[in-house]
């Protein structure tokens, strides 16, 4: 059985469906990009996967278990939420925040022990933040906070990693660091990654599948099926180009045109 199954899933807020009859599977070791313009339901898809938002119709399975039921496998999803600004005086250090990633697996009674504490320090090092353990989380840069949240998501060795726009809103150098962190973690763990992003070009060499959401439509396939102007235009309109340089494809949309 696939690691994630969405079978004809429809999800609405009130009367308006955001996702309609969406079907896709994620197999072991897949790297899946979820893309689409603002408001097309990317975060809604993630919340449905996490079991937070209930579908009106269809079935969602995670690691063989339907998420609509009480499903222990949900705890095996490492999740980095879409960015929200954090109060600079938020009273927790980087280390405190990473350690909270162990709470889901510990349950209500057990406190993090030596093992979890060592794991938190190891993951902080892996995401390139060694030495910053005791920094107040709210005073880290946006990129450092994202990497901290990735470390947090990896606590307890999740079997799936889901990241909702981890490179949005950080400066270019920090974007590169966040991207390499994600790429290195995928190469090390080979757990399936679901990455919501507008920033697809740097990940295209790893991508095994793309879920492209439009308003009222969607496309699912390999990059050779989706990274085509005739498909992307269905969602992004006419201002989209696929260019090929040295055998590699790059997507240009109007989002890239800031000047
Ligand atoms: N709690 C909610 N109640 C009502 N409508 C909602 C709610 N959350 C999202 N929506 C609406 O559902 C649609 C999809 O929202 P969603 O956040 O999933 O989009 P998204 O693709 O993640 O967008 P973005 O790129 O801006 O993050 C939007 O029209 C949004 O306004
Ligand atoms: Mg979103």
């Amino acid at each position: 059985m696939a690691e994630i199954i969405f079978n004809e899933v429809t999800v609405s807020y009130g009367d308006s469906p955001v996702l309609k009859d969406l079907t896709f599977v994620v197999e072991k070791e897949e790297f899946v990009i979820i893309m689409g313009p603002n408001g097309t339901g990317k975060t809604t898809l993630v919340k449905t996967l996490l079991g937070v938002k209930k579908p009106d119709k269809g079935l969602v399975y995670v690691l063989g278990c339907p998420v609509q039921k009480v499903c222990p496998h949900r705890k095996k999803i490492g999740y980095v939420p879409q960015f929200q600004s954090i109060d600079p005086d938020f009273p927790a250090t980087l280390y405190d925040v990473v350690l909270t990633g162990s709470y889901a697996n510990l349950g209500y009674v057990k406190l993090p022990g030596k093992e979890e504490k060592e794991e938190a320090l190891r993951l902080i090092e892996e995401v390139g933040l060694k030495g910053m353990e005791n920094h107040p989380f709210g005073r880290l840069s946006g990129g450092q906070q994202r990497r901290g949240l990735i470390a947090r998501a990896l606590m307890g060795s999740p079997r799936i990693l889901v990241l909702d726009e981890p490179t949005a809103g950080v400066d270019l150098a920090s974007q590169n660091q966040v991207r390499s962190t994600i790429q290195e973690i995928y190469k090390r763990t080979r757990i399936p990654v679901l990455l919501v992003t507008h920033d697809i070009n740097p990940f295209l060499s790893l991508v095994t599948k793309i879920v492209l959401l439009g308003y009222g439509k969607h496309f699912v396939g390999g990059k050779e099926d989706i990274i085509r102007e005739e498909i992307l235009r269905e969602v992004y309109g006419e201002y989209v180009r696929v260019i090929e340089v040295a055998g590699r494809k790059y997507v240009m949309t109007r989002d890239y045109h800031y000047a």
Side-chain angles (χ1 to χ4, degrees):
M1 198 176 196
E3 303 291 87
I4 296 170
I5 300 173
F6 268 61
N7 188 20
E8 307 221 327
V9 174
T10 297
V11 188
S12 313
Y13 297 101
D15 291 337
S16 17
V18 176
L19 304 172
K20 199 160 186 301
D21 291 329
L22 177 64
T23 296
F24 68 95
V25 298
V26 179
E27 305 282 356
K28 283 197 171 66
E29 301 200 7
E30 281 215 79
F31 192 109
V32 180
I33 281 197
I34 296 153
M35 61 186 282
N38 296 128
T40 48
K42 302 179 296 296
T43 298
T44 302
L45 188 162
V46 167
K47 293 200 167 153
T48 309
L49 173 67
L50 296 171
V52 176
K53 177 77 185 135
K54 301 274 173 268
D56 310 331
K57 186 172 117 3
L59 285 171
V60 179
Y61 286 86
V62 175
L63 303 168
C65 184
V67 292
Q68 285 95 330
K69 300 236 167 80
V70 176
C71 180
H73 296 336
R74 276 199 330 230
K75 293 180 184 163
K76 287 285 154 201
I77 306 179
Y79 167 51
V80 178
Q82 189 162 4
F83 185 68
Q84 280 158 1
S85 66
I86 290 165
D87 183 340
D89 295 322
F90 181 64
T93 63
L94 167 65
Y95 172 74
D96 295 332
V97 168
V98 173
L99 203 56
T100 61
S102 61
Y103 293 175
N105 288 311
L106 288 172
Y108 293 109
V109 275
K110 210 168 153 236
L111 287 169
K114 189 164 175 276
E115 207 176 298
E116 287 78 22
K117 291 176 179 172
E118 283 173 4
E119 188 185 14
L121 293 173
R122 191 170 47 70
L123 288 167
I124 289 171
E125 183 170 356
E126 179 167 17
V127 300
L129 297 177
K130 188 174 163 59
M132 307 192 83
E133 294 79 9
N134 296 321
H135 278 54
F137 190 77
R139 297 201 180 265
L140 297 176
S141 73
Q144 289 167 337
Q145 288 181 359
R146 305 305 163 86
R147 286 188 281 150
L149 292 175
I150 294 172
R152 178 185 183 278
L154 291 170
M155 287 290 292
S157 304
R159 287 180 53 193
I160 297 170
L161 180 61
V162 180
L163 307 110
D164 196 346
E165 301 210 37
T167 57
V170 295
D171 66 68
L172 288 175
S174 305
Q175 281 181 20
N176 275 333
Q177 288 167 334
V178 174
R179 287 175 193 137
S180 349
T181 301
I182 296 166
Q183 288 159 345
E184 281 159 21
I185 283 161
Y186 173 65
K187 287 177 187 161
R188 173 177 71 80
T189 62
R190 288 282 159 184
I191 58 173
V193 170
L194 274 85
L195 173 64
V196 176
T197 192
H198 298 288
D199 177 34
I200 59 167
N201 293 321
F203 296 102
L204 277 180
S205 61
L206 294 179
V207 165
T208 60
K209 189 171 281 162
I210 296 175
V211 178
L212 170 64
L213 300 179
Y215 302 101
K217 52 182 140 185
H218 58 259
F219 301 87
V220 177
K223 55 193 159 194
E224 62 291 348
D225 306 310
I226 305 295
I227 303 303
R228 294 156 58 138
E229 286 183 0
E230 64 270 33
I231 300 291
L232 295 168
R233 277 186 194 146
E234 292 272 332
V235 167
Y236 290 101
E238 61 180 301
Y239 298 104
V240 64
R241 296 286 178 271
V242 176
I243 55 167
E244 203 166 326
V245 180
R248 289 178 74 162
K249 287 187 172 168
Y250 296 85
V251 179
M252 310 300 288
T253 64
R254 209 157 47 166
D255 298 353
Y256 287 88
H257 182 82
Y258 293 108

